[in-house]
Amino acid sequence: MGQRHQLFVIARINGRYRQLAAIHHQWLYGHTALRRCRDTLNIFGNKTNRIPLQQELIAASQKDDDFWLAAYDDPHKNEHVPFPFIMTCLVTGASFNLDGYYHGVLVEPFYMAYDEGDNNNGKSFAYVSTSSPPLPTRHVICIGTAYALTDSRGTRWLKGSLNSTDILCAGITVFDITKPDNPRYCFVDFMGMESEREVDLNTPLSARTYLEAYYELDNTTHDEVGLLPLVESFQSISLITKEALVETWPDGAWEHQSPSNVDSTDPPDLEGLDNADKPKSLRTLAMDRLLEMLLDPSEQDIQSLLAEADHLNDFVPNLRRRLYNKASTLEPSATNIGLLQKALEGVTTVDLSLFKLWSAEHLSAVLSQLRTGVGGVKVLNMSNMPDLTEPELAAIMKLEDGKTTSHINTIIILETPKISLGFVAKHFGKHDVYHSELFRRALHKPYSRFESPLLPALQFDAPAISQLVWVGISVRQCWYKKLRLQDGRYNWNALKFSTNVGRYYDDEDQCITYTTFTLDIPLPIAKTIQSLRRLLQYMPVVDTYPYEDVFMAAARCFTTTSVLDDDGYSIGPLSQPLLEDRRSHRGSETAGSGKNQYLKPGHWTMILIHEAFDAVNQHNVDQGKTSYAAEDMVPASKPEKRFRYMLAQATTDASTSGPRFLTVDVPTYIDSVLKDDADQIQTMKKWWAKEIADVTNGMSYYDEQDAHAILDRVYSREGFGGVLDTGANSD
C-alpha cells in the first residue's frame, strides 16, 4: 500500500545526460513530495556540498560507455553504489527533515529506468518466501522501514502478500545536478497518478502543476499547510527540459507534450558560446603575456616580473585560473610551486587533485606555506587520485605520531581506492572526512530487514565521539514509587538494565532499556555539538515511539551537519550501525547494541536519556492513565516527556575505586577538547549558547549524580577499558 514515488538524479556527462542515482519512496505525494523535493534541492545547491558533488561528477566523466549500460544480465554490476555522496544527498533529502518528518526509502540500482519502479503499473506481483528469494536479484537496499527486491528481468518481488489495489502511483521526481550551484528539478506522471485532477503524461511538471493535481491552490483552507508559500519557493528554480529527459531515457514514451504544463523554461545557456571572435582589451592581452612569461621554463627574471605583477589587482585570481587550467600538464618546478603558493594566498579551500604530475613532496611544499595563520587552508581536496597512497597522504598532511600539524578541518578524498578506511579512522578523527567507502558503508550491500549482515567495525580515534548510548525510561517507570529515592531521583540500583530493546519481561517495570552504538563516522567537535543540537530540536516535534525512530533521527542528524555557519543542508556520511539497528528484529539483540561494546579510556560517548519515551506526546502523559494504585505512584508528581543528554569520557583504570568517567555538558566538553585554542572555544561556546536558548525546557544536561549511576550500569567495571579489536583500524 502507499502512494509510491521514485526519485532520480541525472546530470550531463561528457555531452549527454546520464542517470546517477535512484531511490524508491513508499508514501510520497502532494505537498509532501514538494517539501522533499525542495529540501533535496537545498542539499544539492548547498555550497558546502559543491566540491564533493563536483568530484563525483568528475568520477562519472571518467567511466566508459559500458559502465552506463543497464546490467540486466549481470544483477551485481555496480551494486556498491557508484556515486555514494550523491546517493546520500538524495536519501537524506527524501527521507528526513528537522521539522519532524521521517520516512524510510529504498536505494535502487542507479540505472533503474524512470518507469521501472514499484508502482501499480500492471506488472505482476508475487509472494516470495523469506527463506528462498528468487535469484539473481537486482540490487536494492533498505534504508528505514520499506523493503522490496526486483529480479533480473525487472519484475517486482515483495516480502509478503500484496493486494495490488493498495498500490497507488504518485509520479516521480527528477533532479538535474549538471551545475551543482544551480540544480534543476521536475515531476513526471508517466502512468496516471491517484490524484484529484489529471495532468499530462510523460512531460516535465512544475511544482505548481504537480500540486494542483492534488489541491485547489485558490482554496484558503490549504493555507494551514503553507501550500502557496511552498509553491513560491520554487519560482527561482529552473525546470528540467523534456529534451533532458529524452536524452536520459531515450526509450521512454515522451511523445506527448503540452506547453500548458511547462511553467518554467531555462534561459539560454550562454556559457558555451564561442567568444573567440570578441577582441581582447589591451589589459587582457598584457595579462596573458605576463602569465605566459611566468610559466615559461626559460624565463630568467621571474622575481622582477612578480614584483611588477603585485601592483595589478587582478593578478592573483588570473594566475590561479591559469595554473588550474594547465594543472594536468604543469611541471612541479620550484618556480611553479612558488607561483601556486602565491595564487593560493588567503584561499581557505584548496584543490590539489588536478596536479597529476606533482609528487607528495611537491604538494606538501605547497601546503607548508598555507597551513598556519588566520585565513589558512581549511578544506583540502585530493579526490579522484587513484594512485594516491597512504604514505603520500601522510606526507602531504604532515602527519606526526598520528596527528596532523595543519589547521585543515575538512579532507575530501573521494575515489582514492588506495586510502583505506582504517587509515582514515586512525588519523582523521578530528576532521570532516569525505571518503567514498565511508559513504558507501550505509549503502554497501544488498540486505533486508530479515537478514542484515554487519560490516567490519570502524571506530575513529579520540577525541571524536566514538559511541552513542540511548537510555529509555518508560512512562510507568516515571510514575512508579518503588523506583524513586526520598529526594525524588531514580533508584538506579532497583532498576535492571537490558540491551534487549523491545522485549518485555514479567518485571518490566524494573527493566530499563538501553542501546549502545559504536559510531563509524568522524564526529569532530563542531559536528558533535551541531548533531546534538539537531537532536534536541528534532525530538519535540516527532513521535519517537517506537524507539527505533530515535536511532534513525540520530543517523540523519549526524549526517546533516558540518560547519557552524552552515544552514543545515551540508551532508556527511550516514552511520551504518544506526541504520542497521532500525532493520533488526524487535526483541532481539540489536545490531547496534551489545554487551561487548566498551568505552576505551580517552574516548567520548554521547548519552541520550529519554524519559517517558513510550508516550507519543506529552498529552498522553498528562492524562495520567496507569494501572498503578494511587499508593504505588509517586505522590504529587507528573512525569514529563523529556529528552536530555550528557557527554562522558572514560578517564581511569578499571582497578581504581574513584569515578571512572568525566561527565560534562557541551561548554565543558568544548573546553576539554579544544584546550588552548581560545578563539575556537569562544566561537563554539557562543554558537551553542545562542542555539540552546531556543530549545524548550526539559531538554538539557542530565544530573551529574544520575549520570554516573547510568554509566556504571551501561559500562560494567569488568568490561571497562576494553575495545573490540576487529583489525579495522590497522594501518
Side-chain angles (χ1 to χ4, degrees):
M1 53 187 301
Q3 291 259 10
R4 302 185 177 197
H5 196 111
Q6 290 79 47
L7 301 92
F8 301 86
V9 180
I10 64 174
R12 196 169 183 83
I13 305 295
N14 295 334
R16 66 155 294 177
Y17 270 93
R18 300 290 192 181
Q19 189 175 331
L20 305 178
I23 63 174
H24 170 84
H25 197 298
Q26 190 78 358
W27 202 293
L28 187 66
Y29 70 99
H31 68 84
T32 305
L34 260 67
R35 296 182 197 281
R36 304 285 61 77
C37 177
R38 195 67 183 87
D39 277 357
T40 307
L41 286 167
N42 286 339
I43 288 173
F44 283 131
N46 185 274
K47 62 182 180 180
T48 61
N49 298 325
R50 196 158 302 159
I51 293 177
L53 287 174
Q54 289 170 339
Q55 293 306 310
E56 289 204 334
L57 292 176
I58 291 173
S61 71
Q62 297 171 351
K63 306 293 185 183
D64 58 27
D65 289 341
D66 288 342
F67 172 85
W68 302 105
L69 298 176
Y72 294 108
D73 57 338
D74 181 5
H76 302 295
K77 177 183 177 182
N78 298 315
E79 66 180 18
H80 62 287
V81 183
F83 311 109
F85 181 78
I86 292 172
M87 180 64 80
T88 303
C89 291
L90 181 61
V91 164
T92 304
S95 65
F96 177 76
N97 183 273
L98 287 170
D99 291 337
Y101 178 85
Y102 169 73
H103 196 288
V105 298
L106 288 170
V107 174
E108 298 277 11
F110 78 95
Y111 50 79
M112 185 181 78
Y114 74 96
D115 60 350
E116 198 180 30
D118 184 6
N119 290 294
N120 188 15
N121 55 1
K123 292 182 180 179
S124 61
F125 294 87
Y127 174 85
V128 180
S129 166
T130 61
S131 60
S132 57
L135 294 174
T137 58
R138 285 183 40 208
H139 173 50
V140 175
I141 296 174
C142 175
I143 302 294
T145 56
Y147 172 65
L149 292 172
T150 56
D151 70 12
S152 59
R153 298 175 302 280
T155 303
R156 176 64 57 170
W157 303 83
L158 298 174
K159 294 287 187 180
S161 59
L162 176 70
N163 182 351
S164 63
T165 61
D166 292 335
I167 305 176
L168 308 177
C169 177
I172 64 173
T173 304
V174 185
F175 301 96
D176 178 1
I177 61 169
T178 302
K179 299 177 181 178
D181 58 338
N182 186 28
R184 304 189 300 172
Y185 82 100
C186 73
F187 298 95
V188 178
D189 179 9
F190 60 88
M191 57 176 289
M193 299 186 300
E194 297 288 337
S195 56
E196 294 294 323
R197 285 163 287 279
E198 293 183 355
V199 295
D200 288 336
L201 301 180
N202 302 311
T203 190
L205 305 176
S206 70
R208 174 176 285 275
T209 301
Y210 181 83
L211 200 62
E212 285 178 334
Y214 291 92
Y215 314 100
E216 294 181 11
L217 294 186
D218 57 354
N219 187 337
T220 57
T221 60
H222 293 307
D223 288 347
E224 61 186 51
V225 290
L227 295 189
L228 292 178
L230 179 60
V231 170
E232 291 171 0
S233 71
F234 283 83
Q235 288 184 349
S236 61
I237 305 174
S238 298
L239 198 69
I240 295 174
T241 63
K242 176 187 174 185
E243 289 71 24
L245 298 178
V246 172
E247 195 170 300
T248 306
W249 296 288
D251 296 330
W254 304 108
E255 294 82 8
H256 186 72
Q257 171 76 11
S258 173
S260 64
N261 276 338
V262 182
D263 299 350
S264 173
T265 57
D266 287 330
D269 186 1
L270 303 179
E271 290 186 4
L273 295 181
D274 185 5
N275 296 320
D277 295 334
K278 293 184 179 180
K280 293 183 178 181
S281 66
L282 290 176
R283 182 181 180 85
T284 301
L285 290 171
M287 180 63 71
D288 287 345
R289 177 57 182 157
L290 172 62
L291 295 174
E292 288 175 7
M293 294 174 66
L294 287 172
L295 294 175
D296 185 350
S298 64
E299 180 61 49
Q300 301 295 317
D301 200 12
I302 296 294
Q303 295 306 316
S304 297
L305 289 173
L306 284 174
E308 293 293 330
D310 280 339
H311 297 291
L312 303 174
N313 293 334
D314 57 347
F315 168 65
V316 170
N318 276 288
L319 174 63
R320 185 163 58 246
R321 190 176 302 112
R322 181 64 63 90
L323 288 171
Y324 274 90
N325 286 340
K326 292 180 173 292
S328 62
T329 59
L330 194 66
E331 294 290 339
S333 66
T335 296
N336 289 340
I337 290 174
L339 289 174
L340 186 56
Q341 288 175 334
K342 177 74 175 177
L344 295 176
E345 286 180 358
V347 175
T348 58
T349 299
V350 170
D351 183 0
L352 297 181
S353 65
L354 301 178
F355 297 88
K356 304 298 185 183
L357 302 181
W358 295 34
S359 69
E361 183 180 357
H362 297 134
L363 298 177
S364 180
V366 172
L367 285 178
S368 64
Q369 300 300 317
L370 305 173
R371 283 192 175 92
T372 59
V374 178
V377 179
K378 301 298 182 185
V379 180
L380 175 64
N381 177 42
M382 300 286 293
S383 298
N384 287 296
M385 300 181 71
D387 297 324
L388 181 67
T389 65
E390 292 172 358
E392 288 174 335
L393 182 58
I396 293 168
M397 293 294 296
K398 294 286 188 184
L399 293 177
E400 298 174 1
D401 298 325
K403 299 179 180 179
T404 176
T405 58
S406 73
H407 286 77
I408 295 171
N409 57 32
T410 301
I411 302 172
I412 306 173
I413 44 176
L414 297 166
E415 298 302 320
T416 53
K418 293 185 179 180
I419 308 298
S420 69
L421 279 183
F423 178 85
V424 170
K426 180 177 180 180
H427 295 293
F428 299 128
K430 291 183 177 180
H431 299 74
D432 270 336
V433 182
Y434 295 77
H435 185 283
S436 296
E437 291 306 316
L438 189 59
F439 281 89
R440 281 196 187 104
R441 278 182 66 83
L443 314 166
H444 189 66
K445 294 180 179 178
Y447 54 78
S448 74
R449 72 177 74 184
F450 302 99
E451 183 179 359
S452 301
L454 286 173
L455 295 175
L458 180 72
Q459 188 174 70
F460 282 76
D461 273 4
I465 296 288
S466 60
Q467 291 193 24
L468 175 73
V469 178
W470 175 80
V471 179
I473 304 173
S474 70
V475 175
R476 291 164 64 88
Q477 290 162 349
C478 292
W479 254 305
Y480 201 18
K481 184 190 298 184
K482 289 184 178 180
L483 303 181
R484 298 292 186 120
L485 300 174
Q486 290 296 323
D487 58 7
R489 293 188 301 110
Y490 288 103
N491 181 1
W492 300 106
N493 291 328
L495 290 162
K496 298 178 181 179
F497 277 65
S498 172
T499 59
N500 286 332
V501 178
R503 181 173 292 173
Y504 295 97
Y505 301 88
D506 293 336
D507 56 351
E508 64 180 84
D509 292 333
Q510 286 81 35
C511 192
I512 290 272
T513 292
Y514 79 94
T515 309
T516 64
F517 301 91
T518 297
L519 297 176
D520 62 342
I521 57 175
L523 283 176
I525 185 168
K527 197 166 187 175
T528 296
I529 64 176
Q530 257 203 354
S531 301
L532 179 56
R533 172 61 182 88
R534 294 191 192 288
L535 274 168
L536 297 180
Q537 175 185 348
Y538 181 80
M539 289 303 158
V541 294
V542 68
D543 292 343
T544 51
Y545 184 78
Y547 49 82
E548 298 99 323
D549 289 345
V550 179
F551 312 150
M552 300 308 298
R556 292 326 197 261
C557 288
F558 288 150
T559 199
T560 55
T561 56
S562 181
V563 291
L564 291 182
D565 60 352
D566 178 57
D567 57 13
Y569 292 105
S570 63
I571 295 299
L574 288 160
S575 175
Q576 195 262 354
L578 288 172
L579 293 173
E580 193 73 33
D581 191 84
R582 184 59 175 88
R583 290 180 297 277
S584 300
H585 285 299
R586 283 183 71 97
S588 66
E589 289 287 351
T590 60
S593 65
K595 298 174 182 178
N596 294 322
Q597 300 287 332
Y598 307 124
L599 188 63
K600 188 177 180 180
H603 283 237
W604 289 86
T605 182
M606 180 185 293
I607 314 289
L608 306 176
I609 303 96
H610 208 165
E611 295 187 38
F613 77 93
D614 51 343
V616 175
N617 51 49
Q618 186 62 37
H619 174 73
N620 289 19
V621 182
D622 294 339
Q623 294 299 306
K625 295 178 180 178
T626 176
S627 60
Y628 292 131
E631 59 270 18
D632 294 327
M633 296 175 61
V634 178
S637 174
K638 181 180 70 176
E640 183 179 356
K641 186 174 175 64
R642 296 189 293 185
F643 186 83
R644 296 189 283 174
Y645 82 96
M646 62 180 167
L647 300 167
Q649 183 186 41
T651 58
T652 65
D653 219 49
S655 60
T656 63
S657 58
R660 299 180 293 139
F661 302 95
L662 171 68
T663 58
V664 300
D665 59 5
V666 164
T668 309
Y669 172 73
I670 293 172
D671 284 332
S672 177
V673 173
L674 294 179
K675 297 179 180 177
D676 299 328
D677 195 340
D679 291 339
Q680 195 175 9
I681 288 175
Q682 183 178 6
T683 298
M684 291 196 179
K685 281 188 173 181
K686 183 177 180 180
W687 181 89
W688 177 258
K690 176 180 177 296
E691 293 294 315
I692 204 65
D694 299 331
V695 177
T696 59
N697 293 332
M699 286 174 293
S700 59
Y701 174 62
Y702 208 66
D703 177 80
E704 185 170 0
Q705 186 174 354
D706 284 337
H708 282 283
I710 293 174
L711 287 165
D712 283 340
R713 302 297 295 277
V714 171
Y715 296 105
S716 65
R717 188 168 294 274
E718 292 74 16
F720 176 75
V723 62
L724 282 176
D725 184 11
T726 62
N729 292 343
S730 61
D731 287 338

